[in-house]
């Protein structure tokens, strides 16, 4: 089996930059590739910001952080994929864009290099249709922010060889992550759950049951604490399945079942070009540095919770 030393990550956006930081933290040489120079500059800035928080939180020392940063290089030259021992793609979530990318890149890399997509839920089997030697291709679905969240879903497409999916799973363990191997269904597992919550959250706002801020508070101060420690089946077992059965019998029929994007999410994108933190406006306003403030808050709090849950047992 090929030893993995150099990891090339395609797409230096929200995910790719933070994934790069994680590989570098565990000693891998990382090449971050993007078609836009501007994206590479932004990635450098984001990684520095994340590292500042990690140093303040005591997750890495200043020296370790500097070493980590020196292991990451940035490029817009597609030929750099020839240096890869492992490739993860985190470019735009559109099948045509991913197909164009993989058609070219899978021809450039050595034949024994394992290839992964960080797609949030596109079919791994479908992406694999254009890939040279598709048996080495799998899904490696990281969760935002990748340098903090432990879960990675590993997805086997129809053509993925089991031993290659196992290499990906073992690599996740080396990165101190918690991999879960799942089937190639739309959205895999995490996004099927996350978007069930999102659909109901939009529905609650749309029907005037509660505003955006109240929905966020209900999750932060209620469900969130439970779900940080327990899964929904454990929560139900603790609550009593008879109770859960009775609530399901009157509540399921009233829950959201829209089949199209609707409500505030639709308005934000289609009417207001509000993409969230990335362009300064979303469900909330992120002007005047409120974007960086929220990222810093998120990373600080996630790191504290993660230390409590996974390190101080
Ligand atoms: N944002 C999330 O919470 C999240 C979580 C898990 C998975 N993902 C998935 O990860 C992928 C990237 O998401 P993101 O949020 O980082 O997106 P993003 O928009 O922040 O970044 C994507 C980057 O890819 C670059 N890019 C686009 N086409 C390219 C190409 N052909 N070659 C090289 N670079 C290209 C863009 O310039 C951009 O910098 C998507 O598939 C997304 O579904 C996102």
């Amino acid at each position: 089996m090929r030893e993995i030393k150099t990891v090339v990550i395609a797409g230096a956006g929200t995910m790719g930059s933070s994934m790069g930081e994680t590989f570098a933290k565990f000693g891998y040489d990382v090449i971050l590739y993007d078609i836009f120079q501007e994206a590479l500059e932004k990635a450098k800035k984001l990684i520095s910001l994340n590292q500042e928080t990690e140093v303040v939180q005591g997750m890495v020392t200043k020296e370790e952080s500097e070493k980590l940063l020196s292991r990451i290089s940035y490029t817009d030259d597609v030929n750099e994929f020839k240096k890869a021992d492992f490739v993860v793609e985190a470019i735009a979530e559109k099948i045509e864009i991913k197909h164009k990318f993989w058609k070219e890149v899978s021809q450039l890399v050595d034949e024994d290099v394992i290839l992964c997509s960080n797609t949030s839920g596109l079919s791994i089997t479908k992406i694999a249709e254009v890939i040279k030697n598709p048996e080495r291709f799998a899904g490696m679905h990281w969760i935002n922010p990748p340098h903090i969240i432990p879960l990675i879903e590993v997805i086997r497409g129809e053509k993925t060889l089991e031993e290659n999916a196992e290499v990906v799973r073992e690599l996740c363990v080396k990165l101190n992550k918690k991999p879960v191997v799942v089937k190639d269904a739309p959205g895999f597992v995490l996004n099927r759950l996350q978007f069930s919550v999102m659909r109901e959250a939009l529905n609650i706002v749309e029907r005037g049951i509660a505003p955006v801020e109240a929905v966020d508070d209900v999750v932060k101060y209620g469900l969130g604490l439970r779900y940080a420690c327990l899964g929904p089946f454990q929560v139900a077992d603790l609550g009593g399945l008879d109770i859960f059965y009775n609530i399901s019998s009157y509540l399921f029929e009233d829950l959201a079942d829209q089949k199209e994007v609707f409500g505030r999410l639709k308005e934000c994108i289609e009417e207001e070009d509000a993409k969230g933190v990335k362009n300064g406006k979303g469900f909330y306003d992120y002007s005047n540095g409120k974007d960086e403030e929220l990222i810093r808050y998120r990373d600080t709090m996630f790191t504290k919770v993660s230390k409590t849950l996974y390190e101080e047992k």
Side-chain angles (χ1 to χ4, degrees):
M1 197 55 79
R2 184 182 183 113
E3 194 189 346
I4 299 174
K5 286 188 187 151
T6 302
V7 175
V8 185
I9 298 174
T14 310
M15 297 301 287
S17 45
S18 159
M19 285 152 62
E21 196 178 334
T22 310
F23 279 107
K25 181 173 179 180
F26 288 87
Y28 296 92
D29 290 322
V30 173
I31 302 174
L32 211 45
Y33 165 81
D34 204 287
I35 42 174
F36 296 114
Q37 198 58 44
E38 198 183 87
L40 294 168
E41 291 305 324
K42 209 170 158 194
K44 237 181 249 181
K45 210 176 135 206
L46 184 66
I47 292 175
S48 304
L49 179 71
N50 291 343
Q51 280 304 303
E52 276 170 32
T53 312
E54 292 243 308
V55 172
V56 170
Q57 286 298 314
M59 301 301 282
V60 287
T61 63
K62 189 138 185 37
E63 295 70 42
E64 284 166 342
S65 176
E66 276 162 13
K67 244 192 211 158
L68 177 166
L69 293 174
S70 74
R71 285 191 204 105
I72 307 175
S73 61
Y74 300 82
T75 189
D76 58 3
D77 178 3
V78 76
N79 287 305
E80 289 288 281
F81 283 95
K82 292 178 184 158
K83 297 182 183 161
D85 299 313
F86 186 83
V87 176
V88 198
E89 164 269 307
I91 65 172
E93 184 75 347
K94 288 231 165 83
I95 191 78
E96 318 80 80
I97 295 178
K98 295 210 192 276
H99 270 167
K100 187 164 177 280
F101 167 84
W102 279 116
K103 199 168 178 193
E104 180 183 14
V105 168
S106 65
Q107 304 278 346
L108 283 177
V109 292
D110 289 346
E111 296 206 348
D112 60 343
V113 172
I114 289 184
L115 313 173
C116 286
S117 175
N118 181 48
T119 175
S120 299
L122 291 172
S123 164
I124 296 302
T125 302
K126 180 109 186 105
I127 298 175
E129 282 172 3
V130 299
I131 290 181
K132 187 178 168 197
N133 306 114
E135 69 286 346
R136 62 185 167 150
F137 177 68
M140 186 187 202
H141 179 222
W142 299 60
I143 318 304
N144 192 31
H147 63 290
I148 300 176
I149 304 275
L151 177 72
I152 296 181
E153 291 180 309
V154 177
I155 305 105
R156 269 182 72 187
E158 273 169 25
K159 298 229 164 116
T160 315
L161 268 188
E162 191 169 347
E163 62 239 50
N164 290 337
E166 182 53 22
V167 172
V168 181
R169 200 194 63 80
E170 281 169 11
L171 180 59
C172 295
V173 173
K174 286 185 191 147
L175 298 172
N176 207 17
K177 296 292 186 187
K178 304 271 184 213
V180 176
V181 181
V182 302
K183 280 201 179 157
D184 189 13
F188 316 128
V189 174
L190 183 129
N191 273 324
R192 294 184 80 89
L193 294 171
Q194 175 167 242
F195 281 80
S196 304
V197 173
M198 190 70 213
R199 180 160 67 176
E200 188 51 45
L202 291 167
N203 190 41
I204 289 167
V205 172
E206 184 84 344
R207 284 170 56 180
I209 299 169
V212 165
E213 296 78 4
V215 174
D216 275 353
D217 280 350
V218 167
V219 175
K220 282 191 288 193
Y221 303 121
L223 278 181
L225 181 59
R226 282 181 171 175
Y227 288 163
C229 311
L230 302 165
F233 294 116
Q234 290 174 310
V235 168
D237 271 348
L238 284 165
L241 295 189
D242 51 336
I243 306 292
F244 271 70
Y245 180 94
N246 290 339
I247 298 171
S248 302
S249 69
Y250 65 76
L251 191 54
F252 277 7
E253 67 173 354
D254 197 56
L255 296 178
D257 64 355
Q258 288 88 335
K259 301 287 181 210
E260 309 278 335
V261 185
F262 68 100
R264 273 301 290 148
L265 181 58
K266 187 175 160 83
E267 283 166 17
C268 281
I269 292 299
E270 294 182 11
E271 290 167 31
E272 298 166 28
D273 189 34
K275 295 188 180 137
V277 165
K278 74 168 84 165
N279 75 344
K281 188 177 183 308
F283 292 112
Y284 299 90
D285 166 55
Y286 299 104
S287 57
N288 300 322
K290 290 201 247 348
D291 50 351
E292 287 198 2
E293 204 178 292
L294 184 63
I295 292 175
R296 234 184 266 274
Y297 170 80
R298 175 197 67 185
D299 286 5
T300 306
M301 298 313 263
F302 280 12
T303 305
K304 280 187 186 171
V305 173
S306 158
K307 267 191 198 164
T308 307
L309 288 173
Y310 311 115
E311 286 170 24
E312 291 167 8
K313 284 211 172 118

Short mmCIF file of all heavy atoms in Angstrom, two decimals, residues 10-16 19 33-36 39 89-94 97-98 101 117-122 141-144 191 278, ligand 1:
data_model
loop_
_atom_site.label_atom_id
_atom_site.label_comp_id
_atom_site.label_asym_id
_atom_site.label_seq_id
_atom_site.Cartn_x
_atom_site.Cartn_y
_atom_site.Cartn_z
N ALA A 10 -8.26 19.79 -3.29
CA ALA A 10 -8.78 20.67 -4.33
C ALA A 10 -9.92 21.49 -3.77
O ALA A 10 -10.85 20.95 -3.18
CB ALA A 10 -9.27 19.83 -5.50
N GLY A 11 -9.82 22.81 -3.97
CA GLY A 11 -10.84 23.72 -3.45
C GLY A 11 -10.37 24.28 -2.11
O GLY A 11 -10.33 23.56 -1.12
N ALA A 12 -9.96 25.56 -2.14
CA ALA A 12 -9.42 26.17 -0.92
C ALA A 12 -10.48 27.04 -0.25
O ALA A 12 -10.20 28.13 0.22
CB ALA A 12 -8.19 26.99 -1.25
N GLY A 13 -11.72 26.56 -0.23
CA GLY A 13 -12.80 27.33 0.38
C GLY A 13 -12.96 27.02 1.86
O GLY A 13 -12.00 26.63 2.54
N THR A 14 -14.20 27.16 2.34
CA THR A 14 -14.51 26.94 3.75
C THR A 14 -13.97 25.58 4.22
O THR A 14 -13.33 25.48 5.27
CB THR A 14 -16.05 26.93 3.93
OG1 THR A 14 -16.58 28.09 3.31
CG2 THR A 14 -16.46 26.90 5.38
N MET A 15 -14.23 24.54 3.44
CA MET A 15 -13.87 23.19 3.87
C MET A 15 -12.41 22.86 3.58
O MET A 15 -11.67 22.41 4.46
CB MET A 15 -14.78 22.16 3.19
CG MET A 15 -16.23 22.29 3.53
SD MET A 15 -16.56 22.13 5.29
CE MET A 15 -16.31 20.39 5.54
N GLY A 16 -12.01 23.07 2.32
CA GLY A 16 -10.66 22.66 1.91
C GLY A 16 -9.57 23.26 2.78
O GLY A 16 -8.61 22.57 3.16
N MET A 19 -9.59 21.55 6.18
CA MET A 19 -9.15 20.16 6.05
C MET A 19 -7.63 20.12 5.90
O MET A 19 -6.94 19.27 6.48
CB MET A 19 -9.81 19.51 4.82
CG MET A 19 -11.27 19.17 5.03
SD MET A 19 -12.26 19.19 3.50
CE MET A 19 -11.50 17.94 2.56
N TYR A 33 -5.05 23.39 -3.55
CA TYR A 33 -5.19 23.81 -4.94
C TYR A 33 -6.54 24.51 -5.16
O TYR A 33 -7.56 24.04 -4.65
CB TYR A 33 -5.11 22.56 -5.84
CG TYR A 33 -5.60 22.77 -7.24
CD1 TYR A 33 -4.80 23.36 -8.21
CD2 TYR A 33 -6.90 22.37 -7.62
CE1 TYR A 33 -5.26 23.56 -9.51
CE2 TYR A 33 -7.37 22.57 -8.92
CZ TYR A 33 -6.54 23.17 -9.85
OH TYR A 33 -7.01 23.37 -11.12
N ASP A 34 -6.51 25.61 -5.87
CA ASP A 34 -7.76 26.29 -6.24
C ASP A 34 -7.56 26.95 -7.60
O ASP A 34 -6.42 27.30 -7.96
CB ASP A 34 -8.16 27.34 -5.19
CG ASP A 34 -9.66 27.63 -5.19
OD1 ASP A 34 -10.14 28.30 -6.15
OD2 ASP A 34 -10.36 27.20 -4.25
N ILE A 35 -8.65 27.14 -8.34
CA ILE A 35 -8.49 27.82 -9.64
C ILE A 35 -8.39 29.33 -9.46
O ILE A 35 -8.00 30.03 -10.38
CB ILE A 35 -9.64 27.46 -10.62
CG1 ILE A 35 -11.00 27.46 -9.91
CG2 ILE A 35 -9.40 26.13 -11.30
CD1 ILE A 35 -12.18 27.26 -10.83
N PHE A 36 -8.76 29.83 -8.29
CA PHE A 36 -8.71 31.28 -8.07
C PHE A 36 -7.62 31.65 -7.06
O PHE A 36 -7.63 31.17 -5.92
CB PHE A 36 -10.06 31.81 -7.56
CG PHE A 36 -11.17 31.65 -8.54
CD1 PHE A 36 -12.23 30.79 -8.29
CD2 PHE A 36 -11.16 32.35 -9.75
CE1 PHE A 36 -13.26 30.62 -9.21
CE2 PHE A 36 -12.19 32.20 -10.68
CZ PHE A 36 -13.23 31.33 -10.41
N ALA A 39 -9.01 32.94 -3.86
CA ALA A 39 -9.46 31.91 -2.90
C ALA A 39 -8.28 31.40 -2.08
O ALA A 39 -8.40 31.14 -0.88
CB ALA A 39 -10.12 30.76 -3.65
N GLU A 89 -11.14 16.15 -2.76
CA GLU A 89 -11.73 17.27 -3.52
C GLU A 89 -12.82 17.92 -2.69
O GLU A 89 -13.69 17.24 -2.14
CB GLU A 89 -12.25 16.71 -4.85
CG GLU A 89 -13.22 17.59 -5.61
CD GLU A 89 -14.66 17.29 -5.22
OE1 GLU A 89 -15.07 16.11 -5.27
OE2 GLU A 89 -15.36 18.24 -4.83
N ALA A 90 -12.72 19.27 -2.57
CA ALA A 90 -13.75 20.04 -1.86
C ALA A 90 -14.08 21.28 -2.69
O ALA A 90 -13.95 22.42 -2.23
CB ALA A 90 -13.27 20.42 -0.47
N ILE A 91 -14.46 21.03 -3.95
CA ILE A 91 -14.82 22.16 -4.84
C ILE A 91 -16.35 22.30 -4.84
O ILE A 91 -17.03 21.65 -4.06
CB ILE A 91 -14.25 21.97 -6.27
CG1 ILE A 91 -14.87 20.76 -6.96
CG2 ILE A 91 -12.73 21.82 -6.22
CD1 ILE A 91 -14.51 20.62 -8.43
N ALA A 92 -16.85 23.13 -5.75
CA ALA A 92 -18.30 23.44 -5.73
C ALA A 92 -19.17 22.17 -5.80
O ALA A 92 -18.81 21.19 -6.44
CB ALA A 92 -18.61 24.35 -6.92
N GLU A 93 -20.33 22.25 -5.15
CA GLU A 93 -21.25 21.09 -5.01
C GLU A 93 -22.16 20.98 -6.24
O GLU A 93 -23.39 21.06 -6.12
CB GLU A 93 -22.03 21.25 -3.70
CG GLU A 93 -22.97 20.11 -3.34
CD GLU A 93 -22.28 18.86 -2.81
OE1 GLU A 93 -21.06 18.74 -2.94
OE2 GLU A 93 -23.00 17.99 -2.28
N LYS A 94 -21.56 20.83 -7.40
CA LYS A 94 -22.35 20.66 -8.64
C LYS A 94 -21.75 19.50 -9.39
O LYS A 94 -20.53 19.47 -9.63
CB LYS A 94 -22.26 21.92 -9.52
CG LYS A 94 -23.00 23.11 -9.00
CD LYS A 94 -23.91 23.70 -10.11
CE LYS A 94 -24.94 24.66 -9.57
NZ LYS A 94 -24.43 26.00 -9.39
N ILE A 97 -19.44 20.27 -12.38
CA ILE A 97 -18.13 20.82 -12.02
C ILE A 97 -17.24 19.69 -11.48
O ILE A 97 -16.07 19.57 -11.84
CB ILE A 97 -18.30 21.96 -10.98
CG1 ILE A 97 -19.07 23.11 -11.63
CG2 ILE A 97 -16.95 22.43 -10.46
CD1 ILE A 97 -19.35 24.29 -10.73
N LYS A 98 -17.82 18.84 -10.64
CA LYS A 98 -17.02 17.74 -10.09
C LYS A 98 -16.60 16.78 -11.20
O LYS A 98 -15.46 16.32 -11.23
CB LYS A 98 -17.81 17.00 -8.99
CG LYS A 98 -18.09 17.88 -7.76
CD LYS A 98 -18.19 17.09 -6.50
CE LYS A 98 -18.74 17.87 -5.31
NZ LYS A 98 -17.76 18.66 -4.56
N PHE A 101 -13.69 18.30 -13.20
CA PHE A 101 -12.48 18.26 -12.38
C PHE A 101 -11.87 16.85 -12.35
O PHE A 101 -10.70 16.64 -12.63
CB PHE A 101 -12.81 18.74 -10.96
CG PHE A 101 -11.72 18.44 -9.97
CD1 PHE A 101 -10.64 19.31 -9.85
CD2 PHE A 101 -11.75 17.29 -9.20
CE1 PHE A 101 -9.61 19.03 -8.96
CE2 PHE A 101 -10.72 17.00 -8.32
CZ PHE A 101 -9.65 17.87 -8.19
N SER A 117 -13.95 12.45 -2.51
CA SER A 117 -14.71 13.70 -2.63
C SER A 117 -15.33 14.01 -1.27
O SER A 117 -15.82 13.12 -0.58
CB SER A 117 -15.82 13.56 -3.67
OG SER A 117 -16.60 14.75 -3.67
N ASN A 118 -15.31 15.31 -0.96
CA ASN A 118 -15.96 15.77 0.28
C ASN A 118 -17.40 16.21 0.00
O ASN A 118 -17.98 16.99 0.75
CB ASN A 118 -15.14 16.95 0.84
CG ASN A 118 -15.69 17.50 2.13
OD1 ASN A 118 -15.99 16.75 3.04
ND2 ASN A 118 -15.85 18.81 2.20
N THR A 119 -17.98 15.70 -1.08
CA THR A 119 -19.36 16.10 -1.39
C THR A 119 -20.27 15.93 -0.18
O THR A 119 -20.13 14.98 0.59
CB THR A 119 -19.93 15.28 -2.58
OG1 THR A 119 -21.31 15.65 -2.74
CG2 THR A 119 -19.85 13.78 -2.36
N SER A 120 -21.22 16.87 -0.04
CA SER A 120 -22.15 16.82 1.09
C SER A 120 -23.20 15.75 0.90
O SER A 120 -23.91 15.40 1.84
CB SER A 120 -22.87 18.16 1.23
OG SER A 120 -21.96 19.17 1.48
N GLY A 121 -23.35 15.26 -0.33
CA GLY A 121 -24.41 14.27 -0.51
C GLY A 121 -24.67 13.87 -1.95
O GLY A 121 -25.62 13.14 -2.22
N LEU A 122 -23.84 14.36 -2.89
CA LEU A 122 -23.99 13.88 -4.28
C LEU A 122 -23.57 12.42 -4.31
O LEU A 122 -22.78 11.97 -3.48
CB LEU A 122 -23.10 14.70 -5.22
CG LEU A 122 -23.48 16.16 -5.45
CD1 LEU A 122 -22.39 16.87 -6.25
CD2 LEU A 122 -24.82 16.25 -6.20
N HIS A 141 -16.55 12.58 3.80
CA HIS A 141 -17.38 13.74 4.10
C HIS A 141 -17.06 14.31 5.47
O HIS A 141 -17.43 13.77 6.50
CB HIS A 141 -18.87 13.34 4.00
CG HIS A 141 -19.79 14.47 4.33
ND1 HIS A 141 -20.92 14.33 5.10
CD2 HIS A 141 -19.73 15.79 4.00
CE1 HIS A 141 -21.50 15.50 5.21
NE2 HIS A 141 -20.81 16.40 4.56
N TRP A 142 -16.32 15.43 5.44
CA TRP A 142 -15.94 16.13 6.66
C TRP A 142 -17.08 17.07 7.06
O TRP A 142 -17.92 17.44 6.23
CB TRP A 142 -14.70 16.98 6.42
CG TRP A 142 -13.47 16.25 6.00
CD1 TRP A 142 -13.31 15.48 4.90
CD2 TRP A 142 -12.21 16.27 6.67
NE1 TRP A 142 -12.02 15.02 4.84
CE2 TRP A 142 -11.33 15.49 5.90
CE3 TRP A 142 -11.73 16.88 7.83
CZ2 TRP A 142 -10.00 15.29 6.27
CZ3 TRP A 142 -10.41 16.70 8.19
CH2 TRP A 142 -9.55 15.89 7.42
N ILE A 143 -17.06 17.48 8.32
CA ILE A 143 -18.13 18.36 8.80
C ILE A 143 -17.51 19.71 9.19
O ILE A 143 -16.45 19.75 9.80
CB ILE A 143 -18.82 17.72 10.04
CG1 ILE A 143 -19.04 16.20 9.85
CG2 ILE A 143 -20.13 18.44 10.38
CD1 ILE A 143 -19.81 15.76 8.63
N ASN A 144 -18.22 20.78 8.86
CA ASN A 144 -17.70 22.13 9.12
C ASN A 144 -17.78 22.51 10.61
O ASN A 144 -18.86 22.36 11.18
CB ASN A 144 -18.51 23.12 8.28
CG ASN A 144 -17.88 24.49 8.23
OD1 ASN A 144 -16.67 24.62 8.29
ND2 ASN A 144 -18.72 25.50 8.15
N ASN A 191 -26.33 14.71 6.62
CA ASN A 191 -27.16 15.74 5.98
C ASN A 191 -28.62 15.36 5.87
O ASN A 191 -29.49 16.23 5.82
CB ASN A 191 -26.57 16.13 4.63
CG ASN A 191 -25.54 17.23 4.82
OD1 ASN A 191 -25.71 18.09 5.68
ND2 ASN A 191 -24.46 17.17 4.07
N LYS A 278 -20.15 34.03 4.38
CA LYS A 278 -19.23 34.21 3.24
C LYS A 278 -19.46 35.50 2.46
O LYS A 278 -18.54 36.01 1.85
CB LYS A 278 -19.20 32.98 2.34
CG LYS A 278 -20.39 32.74 1.45
CD LYS A 278 -20.08 31.65 0.40
CE LYS A 278 -20.30 30.26 0.95
NZ LYS A 278 -20.36 29.23 -0.11
N1 LIG B 1 -19.64 24.20 3.84
C1 LIG B 1 -19.98 23.12 4.49
O1 LIG B 1 -20.54 23.17 5.62
C2 LIG B 1 -19.67 21.75 3.93
C3 LIG B 1 -19.65 20.66 4.79
C4 LIG B 1 -19.31 19.39 4.28
C5 LIG B 1 -19.05 19.26 2.91
N2 LIG B 1 -19.10 20.35 2.09
C6 LIG B 1 -18.80 20.15 0.66
O2 LIG B 1 -17.45 20.52 0.43
C7 LIG B 1 -17.33 21.08 -0.90
C8 LIG B 1 -16.78 22.48 -0.81
O3 LIG B 1 -17.65 23.25 0.00
P1 LIG B 1 -17.18 24.67 0.62
O4 LIG B 1 -18.23 25.04 1.59
O5 LIG B 1 -15.76 24.59 1.04
O6 LIG B 1 -17.30 25.59 -0.68
P2 LIG B 1 -16.62 27.01 -0.95
O7 LIG B 1 -17.49 27.70 -1.94
O8 LIG B 1 -16.28 27.70 0.32
O9 LIG B 1 -15.24 26.60 -1.65
C9 LIG B 1 -15.13 25.93 -2.86
C10 LIG B 1 -13.80 26.30 -3.50
O10 LIG B 1 -13.61 25.50 -4.66
C11 LIG B 1 -13.03 26.32 -5.65
N3 LIG B 1 -13.31 25.70 -6.94
C12 LIG B 1 -14.47 25.69 -7.63
N4 LIG B 1 -14.31 24.95 -8.76
C13 LIG B 1 -13.04 24.49 -8.75
C14 LIG B 1 -12.29 23.66 -9.61
N5 LIG B 1 -12.80 23.18 -10.73
N6 LIG B 1 -11.02 23.35 -9.26
C15 LIG B 1 -10.50 23.85 -8.11
N7 LIG B 1 -11.14 24.64 -7.26
C16 LIG B 1 -12.41 24.96 -7.58
C17 LIG B 1 -13.66 27.69 -5.46
O11 LIG B 1 -12.83 28.70 -6.02
C18 LIG B 1 -13.75 27.77 -3.94
O12 LIG B 1 -12.59 28.37 -3.40
C19 LIG B 1 -18.72 20.96 -1.52
O13 LIG B 1 -18.81 19.76 -2.21
C20 LIG B 1 -19.62 20.97 -0.29
O14 LIG B 1 -20.88 20.39 -0.55
C21 LIG B 1 -19.39 21.59 2.58
#
